[in-house]
Amino acid sequence: MDHFCITPRCSYCRFDSADSENITILRSDGRSIALPFSKLEHDNCTYEPCYPGCCHWDERLHGYHVDCIQHGDYQLPLRLFDATSYAYDPWPGENVRRLRWMLDRLTSMIYRSLNRLPFELCGIIARYCVREYALYISKRFCRDNSTSDFHIDLSQPVWAHYASLDGLAYIVSLTNKPTFDNAVPLPKPDVPVQIVYAAEDHLGVREVHFARSSDQVRDHPRPGLWWRTVRVLGPKLKGQTDGSKLRRLLCPVAEEALGDNVLWATPQPNPRQLRLTMIMSPSAPLRMASLELGQGVTGYSFCWHNYIVALKPHSDKDDFSYYKQVMLSHLHALWLYVPFRPHEQIVEIWQRRRKRGREVALIVVTSIDGIYVMGAYPRPSWHPCSYELLYKGNPDEDSFFIDQSPAGIHAVASRPPARGTKARRIPVALSPYPESTPFEDFLYTAASVEDVAYVRLCRAESSSIITGLVFGYTDKHQESVGQIRLDRLEAHIMINTSRKMWLQVSRSTYGFPQVVDMGFSPTSKSNRGYIYITWHGFLEWWFSLNQCKLYYNGQASHSTRR
């Protein structure tokens, strides 16, 4: 049976298809099939919505909304699909930004045309025709802008021709003469250009800066905008277009290396001086952003979904929308929270690896000798893993870059650390590895329960299940056990150490043990299914996607399902 992936967005309007919405699929053999946007079988073939990092099975097919097909399959510019195809998945907020921009413009247009209607009603009308408006904008952009691959002489003045698509300005072409009325001259150094910085997104190049190797081109990270460093080895620069706008700049005489197809959140003058370490099979292109390591970081959240998905630094000004953005692509991901003490910083980062992505972990060493394993705990059946030092330096001076692809962290980069650093002793669990189902990985956490001042519960979304605990101590530091998302933490519960705290563990409908309640003694409840915390020693909390296992001072929760 053939297995096909379907693009998650309509190839005409570029808005996502809703679950079970009727779409039309165009196959490479010329046939068209009308199906609901969900996983299903038809004519001895399986069709499944594509997801970030998907291997596309046998082939990736384009899907179209039925109403877009009805309005758009005639008299379309031949360049439309090239001009509007995504080079990679955009940042999660791009769909929201684009929809808001179109609705604002369309609502204003309707209001001006039908000025007797209330503005709010015009906004409701706009939502019913925003797809047609998106297709109209794309068609008009392609018809108004036509270009082809070009070469420019960097020893001569350079002019840029810009055009707007979906509310963003893109470079259509670069020339040595102002052939367009709206051509804009680009600043150049007085000496020969040595580096070109091109800022691009998923649709094309939006900014170009010419510089010497000693110049510092400064820019703050902007969502969805990535910088490519082009080394200049001659007077000529080549531009590759999609027929309507510039897609990429490159030096025609330079040999392309792996690091040249890497994008950066801010301009990087010497990316080849950084050591690029692949965590899993590379996506194209890699999108690298500097991980915050210095003062002001209050902790990190680590996201795991059979491989390393994301590593998020926290501060006092956290925006919890980050969780929702990650969960759009990884609905069943696990979260590990590592709170830091004041002035605690990362000074070393190691990689644990063997063969498969699920065996890879990042090991963080801090300035107060804290060691945190961000990844699945090694299964007893695994052979010994290898350890490699990725980063060692001053957090206020040195940078550590991680891939920001929605599909997960494919690579990291930093200056090569000095040799001779001794391998760290990795924390070992005090309790045995839980029984597990095939291909199920457990994350391991443990925390002291001495000198606890308060506890905060973290619950699953739309459920009373307790996924983890954050302990606050009398010296003001915090530790966590279990799965923690900061946007789901409940209020502080102050602790009276003269009273035991109990955690109730029961099995779900499918037999998976989960923590369902907590409270304080005295209680009339029986001991079966309860863990009693007497405020000394350590609480260990193993957790996977479906179940958990707790150990405390000789007590153990229900056995996990295998």
Side-chain angles (χ1 to χ4, degrees):
M1 177 179 290
D2 293 331
H3 198 153
F4 298 102
C5 286
I6 309 169
T7 53
R9 63 188 66 88
C10 172
S11 296
Y12 276 165
C13 71
R14 288 181 286 129
F15 287 122
D16 288 347
S17 299
D19 189 31
S20 299
E21 178 181 13
N22 288 330
I23 63 171
T24 297
I25 302 170
L26 299 184
R27 293 186 40 153
S28 56
D29 57 9
R31 290 189 298 163
S32 63
I33 306 170
L35 297 170
F37 184 70
S38 58
K39 182 178 179 180
L40 48 84
E41 296 181 2
H42 179 271
D43 195 20
N44 203 33
C45 296
T46 298
Y47 300 89
E48 185 173 1
C50 199
Y51 56 87
C54 178
C55 61
H56 305 324
W57 300 101
D58 295 320
E59 187 179 353
R60 194 186 197 207
L61 303 178
H62 291 280
Y64 306 82
H65 296 135
V66 172
D67 52 347
C68 291
I69 282 281
Q70 293 172 351
H71 290 90
D73 62 342
Y74 297 108
Q75 298 180 346
L76 286 177
L78 297 177
R79 303 187 308 275
L80 177 68
F81 298 107
D82 293 332
T84 59
S85 64
Y86 290 180
Y88 43 83
D89 289 316
W91 73 288
E94 170 58 19
N95 291 337
V96 177
R97 181 210 66 83
R98 179 171 175 256
L99 176 60
R100 183 180 296 120
W101 178 84
M102 288 191 175
L103 288 175
D104 289 345
R105 284 178 59 92
L106 192 53
T107 300
S108 298
M109 290 170 55
I110 296 173
Y111 182 74
R112 289 194 300 268
S113 301
L114 306 172
N115 53 16
R116 294 183 179 180
L117 293 179
F119 191 81
E120 292 78 7
L121 182 56
C122 294
I124 296 174
I125 297 173
R127 289 188 172 274
Y128 283 93
C129 47
V130 67
R131 290 178 175 178
E132 290 79 2
Y133 183 57
L135 184 56
Y136 163 77
I137 289 177
S138 298
K139 290 193 293 184
R140 188 181 65 179
F141 178 84
C142 293
R143 287 168 178 164
D144 293 346
N145 301 283
S146 178
T147 186
S148 59
D149 292 358
F150 58 83
H151 288 79
I152 57 171
D153 189 343
L154 293 179
S155 64
Q156 302 295 320
V158 179
W159 302 72
H161 172 216
Y162 291 89
S164 179
L165 175 63
D166 298 342
L168 300 175
Y170 291 89
I171 295 178
V172 175
S173 63
L174 301 177
T175 62
N176 290 122
K177 296 181 180 180
T179 55
F180 297 91
D181 294 338
N182 61 348
V184 178
L186 297 181
K188 290 173 62 247
D190 296 332
V191 297
V193 174
Q194 296 173 307
I195 295 178
V196 177
Y197 299 105
E200 64 179 67
D201 65 11
H202 55 290
L203 283 176
V205 177
R206 289 166 47 186
E207 296 180 22
V208 170
H209 294 271
F210 302 111
R212 299 167 298 182
S213 57
S214 58
D215 292 341
Q216 293 291 326
V217 178
R218 301 190 180 277
D219 187 64
H220 62 278
R222 287 176 276 174
L225 193 69
W226 300 93
W227 292 87
R228 189 187 299 271
T229 303
V230 181
R231 297 181 305 120
V232 177
L233 301 180
K236 297 291 185 180
L237 194 67
K238 182 181 179 180
Q240 294 178 339
T241 74
D242 54 28
S244 297
K245 54 182 163 35
L246 178 62
R247 284 283 185 162
R248 184 175 178 183
L249 288 172
L250 64 156
C251 180
V253 297
E255 295 184 3
E256 185 170 353
L258 174 62
D260 295 333
N261 198 29
V262 177
L263 305 178
W264 306 87
T266 57
Q268 295 297 318
N270 300 300
R272 292 197 174 192
Q273 293 182 3
L274 301 173
R275 184 182 68 172
L276 190 68
T277 303
M278 303 310 301
I279 300 294
M280 32 178 211
S281 299
S283 61
L286 295 171
R287 285 159 277 177
M288 310 294 289
S290 178
L291 179 68
E292 294 181 54
L293 301 173
Q295 297 290 341
V297 176
T298 59
Y300 293 86
S301 281
F302 170 80
C303 185
W304 174 264
H305 191 196
N306 296 324
Y307 52 84
I308 302 172
V309 173
L311 183 59
K312 166 66 176 177
H314 293 290
S315 69
D316 294 331
K317 300 179 180 179
D318 264 340
D319 177 9
F320 293 148
S321 63
Y322 173 83
Y323 289 103
K324 295 181 180 179
Q325 294 176 1
V326 174
M327 298 303 281
L328 288 174
S329 304
H330 304 278
L331 181 61
H332 302 296
L334 299 175
W335 291 90
L336 178 71
Y337 173 54
V338 179
F340 273 22
R341 296 171 183 258
H343 310 297
E344 185 177 10
Q345 296 176 292
I346 294 177
V347 295
E348 293 179 16
I349 300 177
W350 294 73
Q351 177 189 204
R352 182 198 76 201
R353 70 176 308 118
R354 200 167 74 87
K355 294 182 179 180
R356 301 173 180 85
R358 59 193 289 235
E359 299 165 354
V360 175
L362 294 179
I363 301 170
V364 169
V365 181
T366 72
S367 53
I368 60 172
D369 290 330
I371 301 178
Y372 305 100
V373 178
M374 299 184 176
Y377 195 87
R379 297 172 67 92
S381 59
W382 289 2
H383 295 291
C385 298
S386 62
Y387 294 85
E388 178 185 11
L389 181 63
L390 302 178
Y391 165 86
K392 182 177 183 179
N394 185 334
D396 296 318
E397 298 177 1
D398 301 316
S399 297
F400 183 75
F401 299 91
I402 60 175
D403 179 28
Q404 295 288 311
S405 166
I409 298 178
H410 296 79
V412 298
S414 66
R415 295 183 181 276
R419 296 183 177 181
T421 303
K422 293 183 179 180
R424 297 285 181 165
R425 291 180 60 89
I426 307 304
V428 178
L430 303 175
S431 53
Y433 193 93
E435 295 181 336
S436 61
T437 60
F439 306 106
E440 179 184 29
D441 294 322
F442 276 89
L443 275 64
Y444 172 77
T445 56
S448 169
V449 292
E450 298 181 4
D451 299 321
V452 175
Y454 64 84
V455 63
R456 300 182 70 183
L457 309 182
C458 183
R459 295 187 189 270
E461 187 176 14
S462 302
S463 172
S464 61
I465 295 173
I466 299 172
T467 62
L469 307 173
V470 173
F471 293 116
Y473 298 84
T474 54
D475 65 356
K476 307 301 183 183
H477 86 279
Q478 294 181 333
E479 296 181 19
S480 71
V481 289
Q483 179 174 195
I484 300 294
R485 278 182 49 171
L486 298 189
D487 60 339
R488 295 181 183 169
L489 282 179
E490 297 185 355
H492 295 60
I493 301 175
M494 304 309 296
I495 297 300
N496 181 351
T497 55
S498 64
R499 303 175 64 197
K500 299 178 182 179
M501 182 180 77
W502 51 261
L503 298 169
Q504 181 185 3
V505 182
S506 62
R507 295 189 182 275
S508 68
T509 305
Y510 300 99
F512 295 116
Q514 299 167 333
V515 179
V516 296
D517 198 7
M518 68 84 64
F520 298 91
S521 61
T523 176
S524 59
K525 301 177 183 294
S526 65
N527 290 333
R528 182 173 176 81
Y530 289 83
I531 299 290
Y532 289 90
I533 309 298
T534 54
W535 308 116
H536 67 274
F538 285 84
L539 172 64
E540 298 178 273
W541 191 312
W542 299 80
F543 66 96
S544 68
L545 175 61
N546 296 311
Q547 54 187 338
C548 67
K549 179 75 175 183
L550 278 59
Y551 290 92
Y552 175 71
N553 282 6
Q555 305 175 68
S557 61
H558 293 303
S559 60
T560 47
R561 180 180 171 183
R562 61 179 179 177

